[in-house]
Amino acid sequence: MTTPTLGNAVDDFNLPATSGISFRLSDFKDKANVVLYFYPKDSTPGCTTEGQDFRDAYTQFQASDTVIFGISRDSLKSHENFKAKQAFPFELLADTEEVVCQLFAVIKLKNMYGKQVLGIERSTFLIDKQGILRHEWRKVSVKGHVEAVLTAAQALT
């Protein structure tokens, strides 16, 4: 698998998701645009705010024929708790082996409490109905981010 680049097809992948489903990117081909947002950790302040912002704009994304999926390295159990507590209407994908995180090159060296650790760099990718990567946002700042993603999704319809 190769790291997706703008204007090119994204390699198909499969991950376990909340609600007992299995996510496969190819299942959305010719059906819906896909937002994949990578976040560091369930139930942390920035990740909660980002998820809430996607939740609050969910119907607008639906109106733009766009589905949303959050991805982190947390377990399905952790995802289920996070999703339930925040009433997310979208599924969370568990990439515990970092396969998709590596595919999208979102694992970065970060400083936490004076130590360097590998973690997810908050990033979002918008894939169109043909499976082509149309937009990517890296080093995301949560404030105003969902509005930018929604505007890009609306432009695809």
Side-chain angles (χ1 to χ4, degrees):
M1 290 202 275
T2 58
T3 302
T5 54
L6 288 174
N8 291 304
V10 177
D11 288 340
D12 196 20
F13 64 88
N14 187 30
L15 280 178
T18 48
S19 302
I21 66 169
S22 182
F23 171 92
R24 181 175 298 281
L25 183 60
S26 59
D27 289 346
F28 297 92
K29 191 160 183 169
D30 299 323
K31 295 178 186 162
N33 304 310
V34 176
V35 168
L36 298 175
Y37 80 93
F38 291 81
Y39 64 96
K41 189 146 184 61
D42 290 342
S43 302
T44 55
C47 298
T48 299
T49 300
E50 183 179 26
Q52 290 169 338
D53 290 350
F54 275 112
R55 176 197 66 201
D56 296 346
Y58 184 73
T59 55
Q60 293 169 278
F61 278 99
Q62 281 187 309
S64 299
D65 221 8
T66 302
V67 293
I68 301 165
F69 294 92
I71 304 176
S72 83
R73 300 181 300 176
D74 293 304
S75 68
L76 274 179
K77 182 176 182 180
S78 176
H79 278 349
E80 290 289 3
N81 291 337
F82 186 39
K83 180 183 174 201
K85 186 174 183 181
Q86 299 303 324
F88 293 153
F90 49 84
E91 305 302 334
L92 301 177
L93 310 181
D95 190 15
T96 56
E97 303 296 315
E98 299 179 1
V99 173
V100 179
C101 289
Q102 295 292 346
L103 172 65
F104 282 87
V106 298
I107 300 291
K108 304 289 182 185
L109 205 53
K110 301 164 85 173
N111 288 315
M112 290 189 82
Y113 309 111
K115 286 183 172 177
Q116 288 200 322
V117 297
L118 285 175
I120 292 178
E121 176 181 81
R122 194 179 308 279
S123 305
T124 303
F125 302 87
L126 177 60
I127 301 162
D128 72 13
K129 292 179 187 179
Q130 288 70 48
I132 306 297
L133 179 61
R134 293 298 174 192
H135 293 276
E136 67 178 19
W137 295 263
R138 293 185 180 270
K139 297 182 182 178
V140 166
S141 174
V142 173
K143 187 173 173 70
H145 174 61
V146 169
E147 291 83 358
V149 177
L150 179 59
T151 299
Q154 290 169 331
L156 292 178
T157 56

